[in-house]
Amino acid sequence: MCSSDLIKADESIFIVNQNLDIVLSSNLQLSGSEIKPKLTGNIDVVRGKVVYRRNFKIVRGQISFEDRVKNDPRLDITAETQINPYVATVTVSGNASNPLVDITVDPPTREDGSLISKLDALVLVSQGRLPEISEQATDARNAGLVEAVSLYASQLPFRS
């Protein structure tokens, strides 16, 4: 059994690549063994952005390691982007093994007063515009397919 080690960082973890530019703080405790390490505590996003089709500013971000049985952190991350005249907000919550993703738009209505659906919000984030009412079903299906393929491809273990 290894001893318990603290992993503390005060705004001193920087991740910068083509998709992320973030500053993190951590207050973690590492325990367990080399074969079965255990993390408890939090990693906080102090500030940053995520690039996915456009820049999203992270307005809240915390990764919590609470489960002492398995390392499956709890996510609480919110990022937003301006797509005039709307602000699109993406929220990721729940456990990392099964995260919940929600997209909301403010204002929640089109210029004609009709509500913006979840599929409309997905098209807005992915294409930078709301679908026309007449093309709504086709655009939403196409955007959903593109997003599903992108998500699947991002999870594949590519080797260089």
Side-chain angles (χ1 to χ4, degrees), residues 18-88:
Q18 68 184 27
N19 297 318
L20 295 171
D21 184 357
I22 59 177
V23 177
L24 304 169
S25 291
S26 71
N27 186 12
L28 296 168
Q29 185 168 358
L30 176 63
S31 61
S33 66
E34 290 178 15
I35 296 171
K36 196 169 182 181
K38 294 292 172 208
L39 271 178
T40 55
N42 297 315
I43 297 173
D44 296 303
V45 178
V46 177
R47 63 185 167 277
K49 72 175 183 174
V50 175
V51 179
Y52 182 74
R53 305 202 187 256
R54 60 196 30 77
N55 290 334
F56 284 83
K57 178 182 178 187
I58 299 173
V59 294
R60 181 180 70 233
Q62 185 174 68
I63 302 168
S64 301
F65 294 85
E66 301 167 345
D67 191 337
R68 295 186 187 277
V69 177
K70 63 180 183 171
N71 289 322
D72 188 13
R74 186 145 187 81
L75 308 173
D76 181 13
I77 301 167
T78 302
E80 60 186 30
T81 189
Q82 182 78 38
I83 306 170
N84 286 328
Y86 304 102
V87 175

Side-chain angles (χ1 to χ4, degrees), residues 130-152:
L130 287 173
E132 297 297 324
I133 299 297
S134 62
E135 64 184 21
Q136 202 168 3
T138 300
D139 274 2
R141 271 194 305 274
N142 289 342
L145 179 61
V146 166
E147 294 305 311
V149 169
S150 295
L151 179 61
Y152 177 74

